[in-house]
Amino acid sequence: MTAKWDEIDQCAQQWIREAGERIRASFAEKLTIETKANANDLVTNVDRGIEQFFAAQIRRRFPDHHLLGEEGFGDPLEALDGIVWIIDPIDGTMNFVHQQRHFAVSIGVFADGVGQLGYVYDVVADELYWARKGQGVWLNGAPLSRLRPVPIAESVIAVNATWLMENRRLDHRPLVRLAKEARGTRSYGSAALELAYVAAGRLDAYLSPRLSPWDFAGGMVLIEEAGGVVTNLNGAPLDLLGPNSVLAAKPGVHEEILQRYLSR
Ligand code: 2AM
Ligand code: CA
């Protein structure tokens, strides 16, 4: 497969900025808000419109590529053969609806399952986190530093408060201990942004017991290119075709969380 990565990257950057403009313009219009799996799982006409925009652009320009998207306008994929775009049109929809900030467009482009390009675009801050395999990670055109280990006692860990109280997905007690032993915890409500912050060194780790591929695909490419580590909460590689738990962190921090806080 001879993929034209310069061309793919140019298109992705252009489309993601255009998507951002459309989302910012939507603030002036009335939102249609619906719920999906439960009352707090929100989707709007804008989420759908933006994913349809990407689907139309990709199909027109790259008819042999595949698309996996949160809102279902992509292709029914059973394998990762060829070039696959994994897109979340708005990650952090609750923030989009309630705050009109702290949400992102997330894109990962994979070739036969290997991450080649990653984008997380913070629409309101106008910050584009970008990585291309072998070319480093960049924030609005400025290179980001390679990630280095730090002690847990000096780490800022991103975790949603839900996972620090009794819940049905994981044993919260070791995570409470992690929260106590870390320097601090944060929760931003957008997995894509939290992963981008790990890639940028603003956070030392992020974890969640359940994310979908579109939540983490773009951020995973960023972090791996920055020298960080992304696995599930058991330390195994992520499956890009289904839901996963996620532990993303600086090297060293990742191992220490796995060994001291997550293994039973
Ligand atoms: P969304 O805003 O696109 O729905 C919130 O903590 C983060 O987790 C957001 O990135 C949100 O994505 C994602 N998220 C929330 N509930 C989820 C679920 N049930 N499955 C997968 N991802 C979820
Ligand atoms: Ca999402």
Side-chain angles (χ1 to χ4, degrees):
M1 183 172 40
T2 50
K4 303 171 222 159
W5 291 107
D6 284 341
E7 185 190 347
I8 295 169
D9 179 40
Q10 242 176 20
C11 289
Q13 297 214 21
Q14 190 188 321
W15 298 338
I16 209 165
R17 293 218 179 254
E18 189 173 336
E21 275 170 36
R22 287 172 182 235
I23 294 169
R24 287 188 295 268
S26 79
F27 290 151
E29 284 152 29
K30 191 173 158 18
L31 261 190
T32 310
I33 305 162
E34 290 166 32
T35 58
K36 292 195 282 192
N38 61 64
N40 301 325
D41 187 4
L42 307 180
V43 62
T44 74
N45 54 311
V46 182
D47 299 63
R48 294 199 171 109
I50 296 297
E51 185 168 311
Q52 283 172 305
F53 163 74
F54 280 112
Q57 299 290 353
I58 293 165
R59 285 182 180 130
R60 192 168 49 83
R61 186 74 179 250
F62 304 111
D64 58 330
H65 292 189
H66 306 288
L67 165 63
L68 186 62
E70 172 154 29
E71 310 309 340
F73 299 103
D75 310 305
L77 288 191
E78 276 162 22
L80 291 166
D81 301 335
I83 298 188
V84 179
W85 296 61
I86 304 184
I87 297 187
D88 195 339
I90 297 186
D91 184 67
T93 301
M94 195 185 292
N95 290 348
F96 171 67
V97 170
H98 285 258
Q99 309 179 332
Q100 294 80 51
R101 70 199 72 216
H102 304 140
F103 60 87
V105 181
S106 174
I107 301 179
V109 189
F110 295 77
D112 295 328
V114 179
Q116 302 292 332
L117 292 163
Y119 309 82
V120 172
Y121 183 43
D122 181 333
V123 170
V124 173
D126 190 27
E127 289 186 326
L128 177 63
Y129 300 82
W130 171 87
R132 180 158 161 188
K133 191 174 171 59
Q135 297 190 10
V137 188
W138 302 71
L139 168 52
N140 279 353
L144 292 170
S145 304
R146 203 163 171 79
L147 301 177
R148 304 272 172 227
V150 285
I152 292 292
E154 293 169 22
S155 292
V156 181
I157 315 273
V159 56
N160 193 295
T162 311
W163 317 123
L164 298 177
M165 53 183 129
E166 207 167 332
N167 69 84
R168 63 193 172 92
R169 292 207 190 274
L170 48 73
D171 179 4
H172 66 294
R173 290 165 302 181
L175 294 185
V176 170
R177 187 163 55 83
L178 173 62
K180 284 181 182 158
E181 291 173 11
R183 178 168 277 171
T185 57
R186 295 291 183 270
S187 180
Y188 296 96
S190 157
L193 276 185
E194 288 165 302
L195 293 168
Y197 292 175
V198 172
R202 296 177 187 174
L203 289 170
D204 302 291
Y206 166 73
L207 63 90
S208 170
R210 190 178 197 278
L211 292 179
S212 295
W214 38 81
D215 300 319
F216 62 73
M220 179 180 138
V221 177
L222 298 176
I223 293 173
E224 289 182 344
E225 187 59 29
V229 187
V230 186
T231 65
N232 67 19
L233 293 180
N234 298 315
L238 298 185
D239 170 11
L240 290 162
L241 292 172
N244 290 250
S245 62
V246 172
L247 171 62
K250 287 179 174 167
V253 177
H254 185 277
E255 264 167 48
E256 199 173 348
I257 292 178
L258 263 187
Q259 285 171 9
R260 291 190 40 220
Y261 301 93
L262 292 172
S263 62
R264 50 206 78 181

Short mmCIF file of all heavy atoms in Angstrom, two decimals, residues 159-213:
data_model
loop_
_atom_site.label_atom_id
_atom_site.label_comp_id
_atom_site.label_asym_id
_atom_site.label_seq_id
_atom_site.Cartn_x
_atom_site.Cartn_y
_atom_site.Cartn_z
N VAL A 159 -8.54 11.65 36.39
CA VAL A 159 -9.50 10.56 36.60
C VAL A 159 -10.84 11.19 36.98
O VAL A 159 -10.89 12.16 37.73
CB VAL A 159 -8.99 9.57 37.69
CG1 VAL A 159 -8.68 10.27 39.00
CG2 VAL A 159 -9.98 8.44 37.93
N ASN A 160 -11.91 10.65 36.42
CA ASN A 160 -13.23 11.16 36.75
C ASN A 160 -13.62 10.73 38.16
O ASN A 160 -13.33 9.61 38.57
CB ASN A 160 -14.24 10.60 35.73
CG ASN A 160 -15.56 11.32 35.79
OD1 ASN A 160 -16.27 11.26 36.80
ND2 ASN A 160 -15.89 12.02 34.73
N ALA A 161 -14.27 11.62 38.89
CA ALA A 161 -14.66 11.34 40.29
C ALA A 161 -15.51 10.07 40.41
O ALA A 161 -15.46 9.40 41.44
CB ALA A 161 -15.43 12.54 40.85
N THR A 162 -16.24 9.75 39.36
CA THR A 162 -17.06 8.52 39.36
C THR A 162 -16.26 7.29 39.77
O THR A 162 -16.77 6.39 40.43
CB THR A 162 -17.59 8.26 37.92
OG1 THR A 162 -18.15 9.46 37.44
CG2 THR A 162 -18.61 7.14 37.88
N TRP A 163 -14.98 7.25 39.35
CA TRP A 163 -14.16 6.05 39.55
C TRP A 163 -13.45 6.06 40.89
O TRP A 163 -12.75 5.13 41.23
CB TRP A 163 -13.16 5.87 38.39
CG TRP A 163 -13.81 6.14 37.07
CD1 TRP A 163 -13.46 7.04 36.13
CD2 TRP A 163 -15.00 5.49 36.56
NE1 TRP A 163 -14.34 7.03 35.08
CE2 TRP A 163 -15.29 6.09 35.31
CE3 TRP A 163 -15.85 4.48 37.03
CZ2 TRP A 163 -16.38 5.71 34.53
CZ3 TRP A 163 -16.95 4.10 36.26
CH2 TRP A 163 -17.20 4.72 35.03
N LEU A 164 -13.66 7.13 41.67
CA LEU A 164 -13.07 7.21 43.01
C LEU A 164 -14.13 6.92 44.08
O LEU A 164 -13.89 7.11 45.27
CB LEU A 164 -12.44 8.59 43.23
CG LEU A 164 -11.30 8.93 42.27
CD1 LEU A 164 -10.79 10.35 42.52
CD2 LEU A 164 -10.16 7.93 42.41
N MET A 165 -15.32 6.54 43.63
CA MET A 165 -16.35 6.08 44.57
C MET A 165 -16.85 4.73 44.09
O MET A 165 -16.52 4.30 42.98
CB MET A 165 -17.49 7.10 44.67
CG MET A 165 -18.10 7.50 43.36
SD MET A 165 -19.35 8.76 43.64
CE MET A 165 -18.90 10.03 42.50
N GLU A 166 -17.63 4.07 44.94
CA GLU A 166 -18.09 2.74 44.58
C GLU A 166 -18.81 2.80 43.23
O GLU A 166 -19.66 3.67 43.02
CB GLU A 166 -19.02 2.22 45.66
CG GLU A 166 -19.00 0.72 45.72
CD GLU A 166 -19.67 0.17 46.97
OE1 GLU A 166 -19.67 0.88 48.01
OE2 GLU A 166 -20.20 -0.93 46.87
N ASN A 167 -18.46 1.90 42.33
CA ASN A 167 -19.07 1.89 40.99
C ASN A 167 -19.06 0.47 40.47
O ASN A 167 -18.42 -0.40 41.03
CB ASN A 167 -18.30 2.85 40.07
CG ASN A 167 -16.91 2.35 39.77
OD1 ASN A 167 -16.71 1.55 38.88
ND2 ASN A 167 -15.93 2.79 40.56
N ARG A 168 -19.75 0.25 39.34
CA ARG A 168 -19.89 -1.13 38.89
C ARG A 168 -18.80 -1.58 37.91
O ARG A 168 -18.78 -2.72 37.48
CB ARG A 168 -21.28 -1.36 38.29
CG ARG A 168 -21.56 -0.55 37.06
CD ARG A 168 -23.04 -0.56 36.68
NE ARG A 168 -23.29 0.38 35.60
CZ ARG A 168 -23.25 0.04 34.31
NH1 ARG A 168 -23.00 -1.18 33.94
NH2 ARG A 168 -23.48 0.98 33.39
N ARG A 169 -17.88 -0.67 37.57
CA ARG A 169 -16.89 -1.06 36.57
C ARG A 169 -15.54 -1.48 37.15
O ARG A 169 -14.83 -2.27 36.55
CB ARG A 169 -16.65 0.08 35.59
CG ARG A 169 -17.85 0.35 34.71
CD ARG A 169 -17.46 0.96 33.40
NE ARG A 169 -18.64 1.42 32.69
CZ ARG A 169 -19.38 0.65 31.90
NH1 ARG A 169 -19.04 -0.61 31.70
NH2 ARG A 169 -20.44 1.15 31.30
N LEU A 170 -15.15 -0.87 38.29
CA LEU A 170 -13.85 -1.24 38.86
C LEU A 170 -13.82 -1.05 40.37
O LEU A 170 -14.68 -0.39 40.94
CB LEU A 170 -12.70 -0.46 38.19
CG LEU A 170 -12.83 1.05 38.01
CD1 LEU A 170 -12.67 1.79 39.31
CD2 LEU A 170 -11.73 1.51 37.05
N ASP A 171 -12.81 -1.67 41.00
CA ASP A 171 -12.61 -1.51 42.44
C ASP A 171 -11.99 -0.13 42.65
O ASP A 171 -10.86 0.12 42.23
CB ASP A 171 -11.69 -2.64 42.94
CG ASP A 171 -11.41 -2.52 44.43
OD1 ASP A 171 -11.99 -1.61 45.09
OD2 ASP A 171 -10.61 -3.31 44.94
N HIS A 172 -12.73 0.76 43.30
CA HIS A 172 -12.26 2.14 43.41
C HIS A 172 -11.17 2.30 44.47
O HIS A 172 -10.43 3.29 44.44
CB HIS A 172 -13.43 3.07 43.75
CG HIS A 172 -14.03 2.82 45.09
ND1 HIS A 172 -14.69 1.67 45.41
CD2 HIS A 172 -14.03 3.58 46.22
CE1 HIS A 172 -15.09 1.72 46.67
NE2 HIS A 172 -14.70 2.86 47.18
N ARG A 173 -11.01 1.32 45.40
CA ARG A 173 -10.13 1.54 46.56
C ARG A 173 -8.66 1.79 46.19
O ARG A 173 -8.05 2.73 46.70
CB ARG A 173 -10.29 0.40 47.55
CG ARG A 173 -11.67 0.46 48.24
CD ARG A 173 -12.02 -0.81 48.94
NE ARG A 173 -12.01 -1.96 48.03
CZ ARG A 173 -12.31 -3.21 48.40
NH1 ARG A 173 -12.62 -3.49 49.65
NH2 ARG A 173 -12.30 -4.18 47.51
N PRO A 174 -8.08 0.99 45.27
CA PRO A 174 -6.69 1.29 44.89
C PRO A 174 -6.55 2.66 44.22
O PRO A 174 -5.52 3.32 44.35
CB PRO A 174 -6.32 0.18 43.91
CG PRO A 174 -7.44 -0.78 43.87
CD PRO A 174 -8.59 -0.24 44.64
N LEU A 175 -7.62 3.09 43.51
CA LEU A 175 -7.55 4.40 42.85
C LEU A 175 -7.65 5.54 43.85
O LEU A 175 -7.06 6.61 43.66
CB LEU A 175 -8.64 4.52 41.78
CG LEU A 175 -8.48 3.56 40.60
CD1 LEU A 175 -9.55 3.85 39.55
CD2 LEU A 175 -7.09 3.67 39.98
N VAL A 176 -8.38 5.32 44.94
CA VAL A 176 -8.43 6.32 46.01
C VAL A 176 -7.03 6.48 46.60
O VAL A 176 -6.55 7.59 46.84
CB VAL A 176 -9.46 5.91 47.09
CG1 VAL A 176 -9.35 6.81 48.32
CG2 VAL A 176 -10.87 5.96 46.52
N ARG A 177 -6.34 5.34 46.78
CA ARG A 177 -4.97 5.39 47.29
C ARG A 177 -4.06 6.14 46.30
O ARG A 177 -3.27 7.00 46.69
CB ARG A 177 -4.47 3.95 47.51
CG ARG A 177 -3.12 3.84 48.19
CD ARG A 177 -2.90 2.42 48.76
NE ARG A 177 -3.04 1.37 47.76
CZ ARG A 177 -2.08 0.99 46.92
NH1 ARG A 177 -0.89 1.58 46.96
NH2 ARG A 177 -2.30 0.04 46.03
N LEU A 178 -4.25 5.87 45.00
CA LEU A 178 -3.47 6.59 43.98
C LEU A 178 -3.75 8.09 44.06
O LEU A 178 -2.82 8.92 44.04
CB LEU A 178 -3.81 6.05 42.58
CG LEU A 178 -3.21 6.80 41.38
CD1 LEU A 178 -1.68 6.76 41.41
CD2 LEU A 178 -3.73 6.23 40.06
N ALA A 179 -5.01 8.46 44.20
CA ALA A 179 -5.37 9.88 44.27
C ALA A 179 -4.73 10.55 45.48
O ALA A 179 -4.29 11.70 45.42
CB ALA A 179 -6.89 10.03 44.32
N LYS A 180 -4.65 9.79 46.60
CA LYS A 180 -4.03 10.35 47.82
C LYS A 180 -2.53 10.50 47.67
O LYS A 180 -1.93 11.45 48.18
CB LYS A 180 -4.32 9.43 49.01
CG LYS A 180 -5.74 9.55 49.55
CD LYS A 180 -5.92 8.62 50.75
CE LYS A 180 -7.35 8.71 51.26
NZ LYS A 180 -7.72 7.51 52.03
N GLU A 181 -1.91 9.53 46.98
CA GLU A 181 -0.45 9.52 46.92
C GLU A 181 0.10 10.41 45.79
O GLU A 181 1.27 10.77 45.80
CB GLU A 181 0.05 8.08 46.79
CG GLU A 181 -0.19 7.32 48.10
CD GLU A 181 0.11 5.82 48.06
OE1 GLU A 181 0.73 5.36 47.08
OE2 GLU A 181 -0.27 5.14 49.02
N ALA A 182 -0.76 10.75 44.83
CA ALA A 182 -0.33 11.65 43.74
C ALA A 182 -0.29 13.09 44.25
O ALA A 182 -0.85 13.41 45.31
CB ALA A 182 -1.30 11.54 42.58
N ARG A 183 0.35 13.95 43.49
CA ARG A 183 0.38 15.37 43.87
C ARG A 183 -1.01 15.98 43.75
O ARG A 183 -1.41 16.82 44.55
CB ARG A 183 1.38 16.12 42.98
CG ARG A 183 1.45 17.59 43.26
CD ARG A 183 2.64 18.23 42.58
NE ARG A 183 3.86 18.06 43.36
CZ ARG A 183 5.08 18.36 42.92
NH1 ARG A 183 5.24 18.83 41.68
NH2 ARG A 183 6.13 18.21 43.68
N GLY A 184 -1.76 15.54 42.72
CA GLY A 184 -3.11 16.08 42.55
C GLY A 184 -3.88 15.28 41.51
O GLY A 184 -3.31 14.46 40.79
N THR A 185 -5.20 15.50 41.45
CA THR A 185 -6.02 14.88 40.43
C THR A 185 -6.78 15.98 39.68
O THR A 185 -7.01 17.06 40.21
CB THR A 185 -7.05 13.89 41.02
OG1 THR A 185 -7.85 14.60 41.97
CG2 THR A 185 -6.37 12.71 41.69
N ARG A 186 -7.15 15.66 38.46
CA ARG A 186 -7.92 16.58 37.62
C ARG A 186 -8.94 15.78 36.82
O ARG A 186 -8.74 14.59 36.58
CB ARG A 186 -7.00 17.32 36.62
CG ARG A 186 -5.97 18.26 37.26
CD ARG A 186 -6.63 19.47 37.88
NE ARG A 186 -5.67 20.42 38.44
CZ ARG A 186 -5.23 20.38 39.69
NH1 ARG A 186 -5.62 19.42 40.51
NH2 ARG A 186 -4.39 21.30 40.13
N SER A 187 -10.02 16.44 36.38
CA SER A 187 -10.99 15.80 35.50
C SER A 187 -11.55 16.86 34.57
O SER A 187 -12.09 17.86 35.02
CB SER A 187 -12.11 15.18 36.34
OG SER A 187 -13.04 14.58 35.48
N TYR A 188 -11.38 16.65 33.27
CA TYR A 188 -11.79 17.68 32.30
C TYR A 188 -13.05 17.30 31.52
O TYR A 188 -13.62 18.14 30.84
CB TYR A 188 -10.64 17.98 31.34
CG TYR A 188 -9.43 18.57 32.04
CD1 TYR A 188 -8.37 17.77 32.44
CD2 TYR A 188 -9.37 19.93 32.35
CE1 TYR A 188 -7.27 18.30 33.10
CE2 TYR A 188 -8.28 20.47 33.01
CZ TYR A 188 -7.23 19.66 33.38
OH TYR A 188 -6.15 20.18 34.04
N GLY A 189 -13.45 16.01 31.55
CA GLY A 189 -14.70 15.63 30.90
C GLY A 189 -14.59 15.40 29.40
O GLY A 189 -15.62 15.26 28.73
N SER A 190 -13.38 15.35 28.87
CA SER A 190 -13.17 14.98 27.46
C SER A 190 -11.94 14.10 27.41
O SER A 190 -10.81 14.57 27.64
CB SER A 190 -12.97 16.22 26.58
OG SER A 190 -12.27 15.87 25.39
N ALA A 191 -12.15 12.82 27.14
CA ALA A 191 -11.02 11.88 27.10
C ALA A 191 -9.97 12.32 26.09
O ALA A 191 -8.77 12.26 26.35
CB ALA A 191 -11.54 10.48 26.75
N ALA A 192 -10.44 12.81 24.94
CA ALA A 192 -9.50 13.23 23.89
C ALA A 192 -8.59 14.35 24.39
O ALA A 192 -7.38 14.34 24.17
CB ALA A 192 -10.26 13.66 22.64
N LEU A 193 -9.19 15.34 25.07
CA LEU A 193 -8.38 16.44 25.60
C LEU A 193 -7.44 15.96 26.69
O LEU A 193 -6.28 16.37 26.76
CB LEU A 193 -9.27 17.54 26.18
CG LEU A 193 -9.84 18.57 25.22
CD1 LEU A 193 -10.60 19.64 26.00
CD2 LEU A 193 -8.72 19.22 24.38
N GLU A 194 -7.93 15.06 27.55
CA GLU A 194 -7.09 14.56 28.64
C GLU A 194 -5.90 13.79 28.08
O GLU A 194 -4.78 13.90 28.57
CB GLU A 194 -7.96 13.75 29.62
CG GLU A 194 -8.85 14.73 30.40
CD GLU A 194 -10.03 14.12 31.16
OE1 GLU A 194 -10.87 13.47 30.51
OE2 GLU A 194 -10.11 14.32 32.38
N LEU A 195 -6.14 13.05 27.02
CA LEU A 195 -5.03 12.33 26.37
C LEU A 195 -4.05 13.32 25.73
O LEU A 195 -2.83 13.14 25.80
CB LEU A 195 -5.57 11.33 25.34
CG LEU A 195 -6.36 10.16 25.94
CD1 LEU A 195 -7.10 9.39 24.86
CD2 LEU A 195 -5.45 9.22 26.74
N ALA A 196 -4.58 14.36 25.11
CA ALA A 196 -3.70 15.38 24.51
C ALA A 196 -2.86 16.05 25.59
O ALA A 196 -1.68 16.37 25.38
CB ALA A 196 -4.53 16.41 23.75
N TYR A 197 -3.45 16.28 26.76
CA TYR A 197 -2.71 16.89 27.87
C TYR A 197 -1.60 15.96 28.36
O TYR A 197 -0.53 16.42 28.76
CB TYR A 197 -3.64 17.24 29.04
CG TYR A 197 -4.63 18.36 28.77
CD1 TYR A 197 -5.58 18.68 29.73
CD2 TYR A 197 -4.61 19.10 27.60
CE1 TYR A 197 -6.50 19.71 29.52
CE2 TYR A 197 -5.53 20.12 27.38
CZ TYR A 197 -6.48 20.42 28.34
OH TYR A 197 -7.39 21.42 28.13
N VAL A 198 -1.86 14.64 28.35
CA VAL A 198 -0.79 13.70 28.71
C VAL A 198 0.33 13.82 27.67
O VAL A 198 1.51 13.92 28.02
CB VAL A 198 -1.31 12.25 28.78
CG1 VAL A 198 -0.15 11.26 28.96
CG2 VAL A 198 -2.30 12.09 29.94
N ALA A 199 -0.04 13.87 26.39
CA ALA A 199 0.99 13.98 25.33
C ALA A 199 1.80 15.26 25.49
O ALA A 199 2.99 15.29 25.19
CB ALA A 199 0.31 13.95 23.95
N ALA A 200 1.15 16.32 25.99
CA ALA A 200 1.83 17.61 26.14
C ALA A 200 2.56 17.74 27.47
O ALA A 200 3.18 18.77 27.74
CB ALA A 200 0.79 18.74 26.00
N GLY A 201 2.46 16.70 28.33
CA GLY A 201 3.14 16.74 29.63
C GLY A 201 2.41 17.56 30.69
O GLY A 201 2.94 17.79 31.77
N ARG A 202 1.18 18.00 30.38
CA ARG A 202 0.42 18.79 31.37
C ARG A 202 -0.19 17.88 32.42
O ARG A 202 -0.55 18.33 33.50
CB ARG A 202 -0.72 19.55 30.66
CG ARG A 202 -0.24 20.56 29.67
CD ARG A 202 -1.47 21.18 28.99
NE ARG A 202 -1.08 22.06 27.91
CZ ARG A 202 -1.95 22.62 27.09
NH1 ARG A 202 -3.25 22.40 27.25
NH2 ARG A 202 -1.55 23.41 26.13
N LEU A 203 -0.43 16.64 32.04
CA LEU A 203 -0.89 15.61 32.95
C LEU A 203 0.13 14.49 32.89
O LEU A 203 0.74 14.27 31.84
CB LEU A 203 -2.25 15.06 32.50
CG LEU A 203 -3.48 15.94 32.64
CD1 LEU A 203 -4.66 15.29 31.91
CD2 LEU A 203 -3.82 16.18 34.10
N ASP A 204 0.30 13.76 34.00
CA ASP A 204 1.26 12.66 34.01
C ASP A 204 0.60 11.32 33.69
O ASP A 204 1.27 10.39 33.26
CB ASP A 204 1.97 12.63 35.36
CG ASP A 204 2.65 13.97 35.59
OD1 ASP A 204 3.63 14.25 34.87
OD2 ASP A 204 2.17 14.78 36.42
N ALA A 205 -0.72 11.23 33.92
CA ALA A 205 -1.46 10.01 33.58
C ALA A 205 -2.94 10.33 33.45
O ALA A 205 -3.43 11.32 34.01
CB ALA A 205 -1.25 8.94 34.65
N TYR A 206 -3.64 9.47 32.71
CA TYR A 206 -5.09 9.55 32.58
C TYR A 206 -5.60 8.12 32.57
O TYR A 206 -5.00 7.25 31.94
CB TYR A 206 -5.48 10.25 31.27
CG TYR A 206 -6.94 10.06 30.90
CD1 TYR A 206 -7.95 10.73 31.61
CD2 TYR A 206 -7.33 9.20 29.88
CE1 TYR A 206 -9.28 10.54 31.29
CE2 TYR A 206 -8.66 9.02 29.55
CZ TYR A 206 -9.63 9.68 30.26
OH TYR A 206 -10.97 9.49 29.97
N LEU A 207 -6.70 7.87 33.27
CA LEU A 207 -7.26 6.52 33.21
C LEU A 207 -8.77 6.56 33.21
O LEU A 207 -9.40 7.48 33.75
CB LEU A 207 -6.72 5.65 34.36
CG LEU A 207 -7.04 6.06 35.79
CD1 LEU A 207 -8.33 5.41 36.26
CD2 LEU A 207 -5.87 5.61 36.69
N SER A 208 -9.35 5.54 32.56
CA SER A 208 -10.80 5.40 32.48
C SER A 208 -11.13 3.92 32.28
O SER A 208 -10.45 3.24 31.52
CB SER A 208 -11.35 6.21 31.31
OG SER A 208 -12.72 5.89 31.11
N PRO A 209 -12.19 3.41 32.92
CA PRO A 209 -12.53 2.00 32.76
C PRO A 209 -13.30 1.70 31.48
O PRO A 209 -13.46 0.53 31.13
CB PRO A 209 -13.40 1.70 33.98
CG PRO A 209 -14.02 2.99 34.32
CD PRO A 209 -13.02 4.06 33.95
N ARG A 210 -13.82 2.74 30.81
CA ARG A 210 -14.55 2.42 29.58
C ARG A 210 -14.53 3.58 28.60
O ARG A 210 -15.16 4.61 28.81
CB ARG A 210 -16.01 2.08 29.89
CG ARG A 210 -16.72 1.50 28.67
CD ARG A 210 -18.15 1.12 29.01
NE ARG A 210 -18.74 0.23 28.02
CZ ARG A 210 -19.28 0.64 26.88
NH1 ARG A 210 -19.27 1.91 26.57
NH2 ARG A 210 -19.80 -0.24 26.04
N LEU A 211 -13.80 3.38 27.51
CA LEU A 211 -13.80 4.36 26.42
C LEU A 211 -14.02 3.61 25.12
O LEU A 211 -13.74 2.42 25.01
CB LEU A 211 -12.47 5.11 26.36
CG LEU A 211 -12.14 6.06 27.51
CD1 LEU A 211 -10.77 6.68 27.27
CD2 LEU A 211 -13.20 7.16 27.68
N SER A 212 -14.50 4.34 24.12
CA SER A 212 -14.67 3.76 22.79
C SER A 212 -13.49 4.19 21.91
O SER A 212 -12.82 5.17 22.22
CB SER A 212 -15.98 4.24 22.19
OG SER A 212 -17.06 3.73 22.96
N PRO A 213 -13.26 3.47 20.81
CA PRO A 213 -12.09 3.78 19.96
C PRO A 213 -12.01 5.24 19.54
O PRO A 213 -10.92 5.82 19.51
CB PRO A 213 -12.28 2.87 18.75
CG PRO A 213 -13.10 1.73 19.26
CD PRO A 213 -13.99 2.28 20.34
#
